[in-house]
Amino acid sequence: MNRDLTTHHAEFIKAYDELGDALFRHSFFRVSNRDVALDMVQDTFVKTWQHVERGEKILNLKAYLYHVMNNLVIDYYRKSKSSSLDTLLDDGFDPSDSSVDIEEKAEMSLVMNAVGKLPEDDRQLVVMRHVDGLSITEIAEAIDESENVVSVRLHRAIKNLKKLYNHE
Amino acid sequence: MNDVEHIIYKSSRRISLRDDEKAAVRMRLLSLAPGASISQRIVLPFYSALGSFAWRHTASFAFVALLFFSGGLSALADKALPGSMLYPLKTGINEQVLSLFAVSKESKVEFNILLAQRRLTEAELIADEPSISPEVKEDHLKVVYAQVTVAAGEEEEETTAPVTSAMTKMAPQAVMMQATHDNTTPELHVVSLMNATAAVEVAPREDISNLRASLKKLQSILAEKEHDKGEMRERSIRAESKLLVAQKKLLEAADEKISVEKKNQYVDQAKEIIKQAQLFIDSVRQESKETLIEAVPVSVSDKKTIPAVTEGEASTTKDILIESNVDPSVLHN
């Protein structure tokens, strides 16, 4: 048995323990469907591990995982051609958490509505930055753009988001 | 961080994997470990379930475990048929482990359908196998029916009803059940149901082959119809499930050993279930923008009243089959 691969696998499982929830959150915000989001989390890790097994190097595992998930989200939209947060917005934001009071829930619905109206590219950046808490460098690596481009686009996306939110 | 960004952050913290979801995905990822085989994946549930047995039968358990851990037994068990020593490993362990990988609602439905198809194939394989006792065959038919019912989500219907059909009925019924879950439309299922019912007494192998061929052809057509998913697909499955139960009721009603009263009861139940299926089919038809296949009407007439049957008279099974455009003679010799 390949000892290096075994070590990598242990690190890989550790990464799942640490990042599973965050990736699920990300996919949920992008596709607004719990089951689809769950499948995406699993597929993301499986595809990443297959990459490792082929002997490919991954310099930043976290960024690579988001990169894979982003591709899965793009594939999902190509297939379904549905808008990401439409269902969520139609049904109202429901985090399935009874501790959320009505006022807070309404506030969340408004901001989710605004996020849903952003163009997909802008939404992606907002989710990566403010849902996933990724750094500009990590986002740049995940979407194959320069840090400068990411900073400018993110700034513009947040500006648009605020406008949309204030008009709700 | 200003308000909007803070609210997004706060909202997102409310969303996380449930413990069971997290564990299921983790299990799947652990199975990808270098050198892991399906047999290794099932060590824990196997061991914990049969722990006490193992202590009492240490030597034989060690031998079995040796084989099992090496992957050979697990692979052999996958090919086992009902009545075989390895069959419990196949259904009780291998498949239970595989079920852990079906984490989402959709994949669980797919997995249950896969299991139903497996049971159907087994039923066909053992149907003409003289070394397998009739009791095992009958028991397996019950398992087939239960699994198909689970796959269809038909929880409200009874799943452990006695199976009264003779072994000659098994193959065509199995094919009909296969039809139920091969992504066919409810209308197609009506055809499959009637064809399979018609084949009950004769059970020629050609009919089975023909049905399988038709199903494969329709599967390929349906594979192109991406829109037949979601709610519509669910309704189709519900309709198919209803028709499946109705078909079973008709088969039970055709049993000559049961009383006329019981026959009437089964036929009434079948009629009611077919009506329910009709509602599902109608709703699917209304929403479907394109017709996948030429629709075959299910004629359950409200105008025609099924006459009460007394001893010596024709069974109402005949009446309902006439309404359903099926030659009732196939059920009565």
Side-chain angles (χ1 to χ4, degrees), chain B residues 276-331:
Chain B
Q276 292 168 12
Q278 180 75 63
L279 292 176
F280 280 113
I281 293 169
D282 288 345
S283 68
V284 171
R285 271 186 188 154
Q286 280 170 9
E287 288 193 20
S288 178
K289 289 178 182 173
E290 53 181 304
T291 308
L292 296 177
I293 59 166
E294 191 178 341
V296 178
V298 186
S299 52
V300 179
S301 168
D302 287 331
K303 293 173 187 173
K304 185 173 180 180
T305 308
I306 293 179
V309 176
T310 56
E311 291 288 353
E313 286 186 359
S315 163
T316 49
T317 310
K318 190 177 287 183
D319 298 307
I320 198 164
L321 289 177
I322 289 168
E323 291 179 33
S324 305
N325 299 327
V326 171
D327 178 5
S329 65
V330 297
L331 287 179

Side-chain angles (χ1 to χ4, degrees), chain B residues 85-272:
Chain B
M85 279 176 64
L86 294 178
Y87 189 69
L89 293 182
K90 176 181 180 178
T91 56
I93 299 174
N94 287 12
E95 290 177 351
Q96 291 303 313
V97 171
L98 289 173
S99 73
L100 295 173
F101 303 151
V103 290
S104 72
K105 201 168 145 190
E106 281 182 358
S107 51
K108 276 176 186 160
V109 171
E110 283 171 6
F111 181 71
N112 280 328
I113 290 172
L114 172 73
L115 287 189
Q117 288 171 338
R118 275 188 170 202
R119 299 293 86 85
L120 284 162
T121 305
E122 290 160 3
E124 283 190 300
L125 289 172
I126 65 171
D128 296 329
E129 183 55 60
S131 62
I132 295 173
S133 71
E135 290 77 22
V136 169
K137 290 175 181 176
E138 283 224 13
D139 283 348
H140 186 65
L141 192 55
K142 290 178 190 173
V143 173
V144 170
Y145 182 74
Q147 183 58 51
V148 172
T149 308
V150 167
E154 190 57 52
E155 290 165 4
E156 73 269 29
E157 296 295 339
E158 57 184 351
T159 55
T160 53
V163 178
T164 55
S165 55
M167 282 313 298
T168 49
K169 297 175 184 175
M170 181 186 282
Q173 186 178 17
V175 171
M176 188 284 300
M177 288 173 175
Q178 177 86 39
T180 308
H181 296 287
D182 276 356
N183 290 338
T184 54
T185 63
E187 289 89 349
L188 171 66
H189 174 66
V190 175
V191 181
S192 301
L193 187 154
M194 299 313 172
N195 286 346
T197 309
V200 163
E201 293 303 320
V202 286
R205 283 284 172 197
E206 310 86 73
D207 283 1
I208 297 171
S209 304
N210 290 341
L211 276 172
R212 276 209 185 280
S214 307
L215 289 168
K216 279 189 179 174
K217 189 179 171 187
L218 286 156
Q219 264 186 306
S220 65
I221 296 169
L222 288 162
E224 297 167 10
K225 308 291 179 187
E226 284 291 323
H227 75 273
D228 191 29
K229 287 189 173 177
E231 198 182 343
M232 270 180 61
R233 173 152 170 67
E234 196 177 318
R235 281 186 217 169
S236 297
I237 290 173
R238 298 286 293 168
E240 288 162 358
S241 166
K242 296 278 180 195
L243 291 168
L244 173 73
V245 176
Q247 196 261 0
K248 176 173 166 280
K249 296 284 179 194
L250 291 176
L251 285 176
E252 286 169 346
D255 188 352
E256 290 172 0
K257 293 176 195 162
I258 64 170
S259 67
V260 172
E261 194 178 83
K262 197 74 180 167
K263 275 180 196 286
N264 280 342
Q265 190 186 335
Y266 283 139
V267 171
D268 287 344
Q269 287 172 349
K271 192 183 177 189
E272 187 55 41

Side-chain angles (χ1 to χ4, degrees), chain B residues 60-81:
Chain B
S60 54
F61 184 81
F63 177 69
V64 170
L66 185 67
L67 281 174
F68 197 68
F69 290 6
S70 70
L73 197 57
S74 175
L76 280 176
D78 263 348
K79 294 174 183 171
L81 290 173

